[in-house]
Amino acid sequence: MAFERNRLGIVYPVLFAGPGNTNSNFRGEARREYVKRTLQWVIDDPQFVTVEISRIKNSATRKEAASMLKAARKSGAVEEVVWCAQLVQLINEDGIVPASDISSLDEYDRVKAVDRLKECIDEACEYGAEKFTFFSGKDPAIMQGLSGEAAERVRGEAMVQLRRSLHEICLYLKQQNKKHKSDCVPLLIPFDARVNPPGVTPFKEMLIGPADRAEAIIESVRHHYGHEELGLLIDTSHAIINGEGPDTLKRIGAYVKHIHVSNCILNRNNPDGDLRYGDVHPAFNLPDSELTSPVLAGYLQALAECGFEGSFAFEIKPQDHEIPEDLTGAAKSLFYGACNRIEVNYAPRLNYIYQSRKFLSEGVWDQLCELRIHKKSIIKERMLKRKQRKQLASNGRMVILAADHPARMVTHDGRNPVGMGDRFDYLGRCARVMMASRVDGLMATADIIEDLVLLDYLQQEKTGKSFLDERVLIACMNRSGLSGARYELLDRNTAYRDAKKIKELKLDGAKMLMRLAVPDPYDRYALQTMEECSRSIEICNEIDLPVFLEPLPVKQIDGQYKVLMNADDLIRIIGVASGLSHSTANLWLKIPYVDNYWRVAQSFSGPILMLGGASTGNPIDVIEQFVRGMGEGENVRGAMVGRNVLYPGGDDPAAVAEAVCALVHEGVSANDAVKRIQPMRGAKMDLLKV
């Protein structure tokens, strides 16, 4: 599950705001017994290792709370304390500081607001807090009812005042850190900036606010004053109210150090709209909740891509008769469910992109070219010396890498129409999969197989180890059905043409493609291909060579032959395929996954390998399809997959191949298969030691 190593916590004085869900604890005025009981409940929860606390006015109660947290630290029950100055700012006791707070245009008011936060820092130090959180204050432009250029001018002045305040807060916190030998960091909270409708105040109308302003002020403070420690605390409810989704989070991800997981309801007609409308952090899973599992998963995916290592904390404000302790169960369920969604577990880092040349370098490529010119005899010598498997599929299952597409003029890699035509990159990806993952073998044309044989020779010369020994090597035979050709269905043996030669070269099988379009103006060519496949299968049977036949029903659409991806058409062509030649004893079928795959599996008693199809740039879909397919029949025995493994967007081909191997050989779920990708991504890039 994603974020297993990140801390999880609770905003304590918001969840336990006071007896009967009053606000005495929120104000820092709760009785000692209430504070002691409820704080101990948080400490005793094994999943809450981050505790967010705020002002406790009674010094004796405050000392006892600090002592409880100190003891919990020693026992390991608590790992992090966060001091929430934003609660003090929101209460704004006695109204001494204006709502614009540390962004006040009036210098006297700004200084008062900063001094109040300094007092909060002093109290945070009593707890040994690791983080100190606060907000900017209201947008003066909204407070003055301004719009247009006048509003932007006032906001610009307020941003200057805020920058000055942040500098003073960071300086004071550094002084206190030095004094107390602590390492507390300041975190600014972007609140919602939504303007309140007349007569009600469900929103906070804060200056920071929108993510672009948050980003600008953090960069400004870091640039002008060097306060690299200043970061952001992002609250999901504020982001939702501001209309800021996962893409916004990615943009500011470098500054995000802490996350509040919180809900909001934006339907004013909600049955409890008077209590829960706006920025009040209601319980999760309520009617009209904005933070649903898919929405939270979107934010989590963005954080995973940013490499977020900070803490998460639930901010939940019980209402009416709600029991605080009960609300945390729903929160955990929502959070863990979102963390365990497949797209969150898969999320690659934003700065990660697989580069084939970092695995197979230009220097190795040059050596390969030299071998082809000066030592070409090595190819056959090595193929004849290669150790073959005693049994094709030792556990009855196989994952085979398919690399025969360029020979049929199929070069689109999902992004680049001729991407697979770059042999340097293509070979590097093939070698990466063969060397770094557990794939059982390779199906390819002679050029690819021989390139890998030469790389294997170079590797053996350096390390004494072969990555092709005991791997299944399958020869592709018919490739004349060129993509886009008028006579595309006439697919003759133009690659490996002779089954006996395949056997002689100690290859482990022969692969053929048979596409049928019936009726079609050119269906006679499909029938010729069918006859040629039958003859080839017959020869393979005579020499006991396994056959991997890919029968595909196709139809000409806009001048191109498209595969008919439905069970009925696949069942019809499987009947034709399984009737070829005098025996099916050596026959494996390669069939794409479709809905109702169980019906497809039942149309043939022999082994089936699923194919992956064209690259989508995201391997999640094909992994989920393979998981479903593996459960649809005992004769579904694995996959022969090419482009979706070799070109999985910017991801590592070997990592994706390993995920496919896990689901085929171990029977893991799609989610667990995807979890294998993260540790494999970019690992073992130095395997090709030549």
Side-chain angles (χ1 to χ4, degrees), residues 73-182:
R73 284 178 184 275
K74 286 186 178 179
S75 69
V78 171
E79 298 176 6
E80 180 182 58
V81 173
V82 180
W83 210 93
C84 303
Q86 69 269 22
L87 303 188
V88 176
Q89 293 174 287
L90 284 170
I91 294 167
N92 197 18
E93 199 167 57
D94 300 326
I96 294 174
V97 175
S100 51
D101 212 275
I102 58 174
S103 303
S104 295
L105 299 178
D106 184 279
E107 182 64 10
Y108 176 70
D109 290 335
R110 186 195 69 79
V111 170
K112 282 192 298 182
V114 171
D115 286 344
R116 181 170 67 181
L117 287 183
K118 288 180 179 178
E119 292 175 6
C120 293
I121 289 172
D122 292 339
E123 190 167 325
C125 290
E126 295 181 31
Y127 291 91
E130 282 83 3
K131 293 171 182 172
F132 179 79
T133 64
F134 55 97
F135 60 60
S136 65
K138 278 199 171 186
D139 182 348
I142 296 177
M143 292 172 67
Q144 297 176 32
L146 301 175
S147 62
E149 292 183 5
E152 291 307 312
R153 185 183 70 252
V154 168
R155 286 192 184 106
E157 294 171 2
M159 291 286 278
V160 171
Q161 291 290 82
L162 176 59
R163 185 176 71 188
R164 185 177 299 152
S165 297
L166 292 174
H167 172 53
E168 293 170 8
I169 291 164
C170 289
L171 280 180
Y172 187 77
L173 188 54
K174 284 180 178 178
Q175 293 170 7
Q176 296 306 303
N177 279 337
K178 187 175 182 180
K179 177 180 177 181
H180 295 278
K181 296 181 180 179
S182 57

Side-chain angles (χ1 to χ4, degrees), residues 442-625:
L442 170 79
M443 183 278 297
T445 46
D447 52 337
I448 299 294
I449 289 176
E450 290 176 354
D451 279 345
L452 287 169
V453 167
L454 291 174
L455 285 179
D456 190 52
Y457 163 75
L458 292 172
Q459 182 77 350
Q460 285 188 74
E461 291 293 297
K462 188 75 173 180
T463 67
K465 297 179 181 179
S466 167
F467 62 83
L468 292 182
D469 279 349
E470 299 194 15
R471 305 295 271 278
V472 177
L473 296 186
I474 300 169
C476 177
M477 297 189 74
N478 59 336
R479 293 283 85 182
S480 76
L482 302 181
S483 177
R486 178 181 297 180
Y487 308 121
E488 185 174 344
L489 296 182
L490 182 57
D491 207 348
R492 291 172 172 157
N493 292 349
T494 56
Y496 284 96
R497 300 184 61 185
D498 185 349
K500 292 180 180 179
K501 177 62 70 174
I502 293 171
K503 185 84 169 180
E504 179 187 317
L505 291 171
K506 296 184 70 174
L507 299 176
D508 303 290
K511 180 258 181 181
M512 300 158 213
L513 171 65
M514 183 182 75
R515 290 171 293 170
L516 297 184
V518 180
D520 184 87
Y522 301 104
D523 56 15
R524 64 185 182 277
Y525 298 116
L527 299 179
Q528 290 181 38
T529 299
M530 175 179 161
E531 185 179 4
E532 182 145 352
C533 286
S534 180
R535 282 197 298 268
S536 296
I537 293 171
E538 186 172 348
I539 297 170
C540 289
N541 283 331
E542 290 173 357
I543 59 177
D544 196 28
L545 184 69
V547 173
F548 296 82
L549 179 62
E550 182 178 357
L552 296 176
V554 296
K555 183 176 182 179
Q556 193 169 162
I557 301 173
D558 297 329
Q560 298 246 334
Y561 285 103
K562 305 291 185 182
V563 179
L564 300 176
M565 297 291 284
N566 65 80
D568 287 352
D569 284 303
L570 283 171
I571 289 169
R572 291 188 185 98
I573 196 171
I574 287 172
V576 175
S578 58
L580 296 177
S581 187
H582 65 272
S583 175
T584 58
N586 288 309
L587 184 63
W588 292 63
L589 294 185
K590 181 186 176 189
I591 307 293
Y593 176 84
V594 295
D595 291 338
N596 295 313
Y597 204 62
W598 63 273
R599 294 178 56 222
V600 176
Q602 283 187 3
S603 66
F604 180 60
S605 61
I608 293 174
L609 296 180
M610 293 174 288
L611 64 89
S615 173
T616 64
N618 186 336
I620 290 178
D621 290 342
V622 75
I623 287 172
E624 290 183 318
Q625 288 177 3

